[in-house]
Amino acid sequence: MLRELVEGGAEGLVWVEDTATCEGRSLLRAFVTAAVKRAEPVDVVLLEVTREQFGVGLSPDVKKQLRFHDDGADPRGWLGGDGGRAALWGCNGAGPNSMVVLDSLSAALLRERPHVAGRKLRAAMGAGRVVALLHRDLHPPPLLQALGGALSPTRLILGEPRPPNIHHVVLIPWGGRPKAELFRLLPDLSVLPVGTPPQVGAAGGEGMKPTPPPPPLPAAATTPLSAECCPESRAAAGGPHPRPPRRPRGPRRRPGRVRGLL
């Protein structure tokens, strides 16, 4: 199923979800390479890394066909430009047979309010397929649940790689059943399926741990910046927004008597 998604079966929005222990940018490059081989226009919006960093492992022929919108070198727009944000939200003429690659959605969520980023991302989906890298350990589960409910993405949840060069992914169509797969990324960035994760006690599966389906949204650490995005995020971060401290009151004065009237 993963190879079918990479080779053109993906529609709408795809989240490539990684963590600090399993990077997902290589799979993002696999989507890009497959799209170029199909002669599809590809817009690569970089909000987190530069084009030199993203291009590691890509062939020169593939790089020539990509339309980069690099915002990684100036993430806050201090140089006066809007970088890749305009390219993503406006799609710059992308058509229904085109692909927009966002690296990363996490960087967009840390700059935009979730409802604003979601509205702009939906506009990009209307003009073509969108494949977005998401660092799921940077965001609270309620935020991702709300955003996913509004956008209905196909989730590719990456697990820790296994030797030799075997990667583990759980594919979850939004509202569908999860399916675990093992795959290899070949030197040309094509995807080679190698089966499903074996269970303990299965033939040839000695020493391998079982792979249970993931929860609807995995537990995540909450960053201070993401905790300010929405009320759900504040609740996940440890409660409602703190109230400002009260002003200290001075000593109360007792009313004095007015002499000369009695």
Side-chain angles (χ1 to χ4, degrees):
M1 183 176 179
L2 176 62
R3 182 162 63 181
E4 286 75 11
L5 288 176
V6 173
E7 293 180 353
E11 296 181 358
L13 174 63
V14 177
W15 283 355
V16 178
E17 302 184 24
D18 68 358
T19 63
T21 59
C22 53
E23 64 90 17
R25 193 164 282 119
S26 296
L27 187 56
L28 212 63
R29 298 185 183 108
F31 273 95
V32 167
T33 301
V36 169
K37 290 181 179 179
R38 297 191 302 269
E40 291 184 3
V42 180
D43 286 271
V44 181
V45 182
L46 301 176
L47 304 180
E48 184 174 327
V49 297
T50 63
R51 67 180 64 190
E52 290 77 14
Q53 293 171 314
F54 183 85
V56 173
L58 295 176
S59 68
D61 293 336
V62 171
K63 293 179 183 178
K64 292 179 182 178
Q65 303 300 321
L66 302 179
R67 295 181 293 191
F68 282 102
H69 310 278
D70 191 351
D71 196 28
D74 183 26
R76 298 189 179 276
W78 288 343
L79 300 182
D82 58 3
R85 288 186 290 273
L88 171 67
W89 309 141
C91 290
N92 277 1
N97 294 324
S98 65
M99 177 182 292
V100 176
V101 176
L102 175 59
D103 187 352
S104 66
L105 177 57
S106 294
L109 288 174
L110 294 179
R111 302 178 191 186
E112 305 259 18
R113 290 188 177 274
H115 69 278
V116 175
R119 183 174 66 248
K120 294 178 179 179
L121 195 55
R122 181 179 291 277
M125 292 165 54
R129 292 184 294 275
V130 179
V131 181
L133 181 63
L134 176 67
H135 310 309
R136 70 175 182 271
D137 52 349
L138 294 184
H139 308 285
L143 171 61
L144 299 184
Q145 186 70 41
L147 192 64
L151 300 175
S152 302
T154 297
R155 302 173 60 199
L156 304 180
I157 303 177
L158 293 171
E160 294 187 12
R162 306 173 179 181
N165 189 28
I166 296 179
H167 302 272
H168 174 216
V169 65
V170 177
L171 301 93
I172 309 180
W174 192 261
R177 299 182 61 181
K179 180 181 179 182
E181 289 188 14
L182 298 176
F183 69 97
R184 283 195 177 106
L185 278 179
L186 301 181
D188 62 350
L189 291 178
S190 59
V191 173
L192 176 65
V194 294
T196 58
Q199 303 292 325
V200 173
E206 293 79 2
M208 301 284 286
K209 296 182 178 180
T211 306
L217 277 172
T222 305
T223 60
L225 188 56
S226 63
E228 298 175 358
C229 292
C230 65
E232 294 86 357
S233 302
R234 297 192 204 103
H241 196 281
R243 295 181 178 179
R246 296 181 177 180
R247 293 182 178 180
R249 294 182 177 180
R252 298 182 61 181
R253 297 181 179 180
R254 299 180 62 181
R257 296 180 178 180
V258 180
R259 298 181 179 180
L261 297 180
L262 296 178

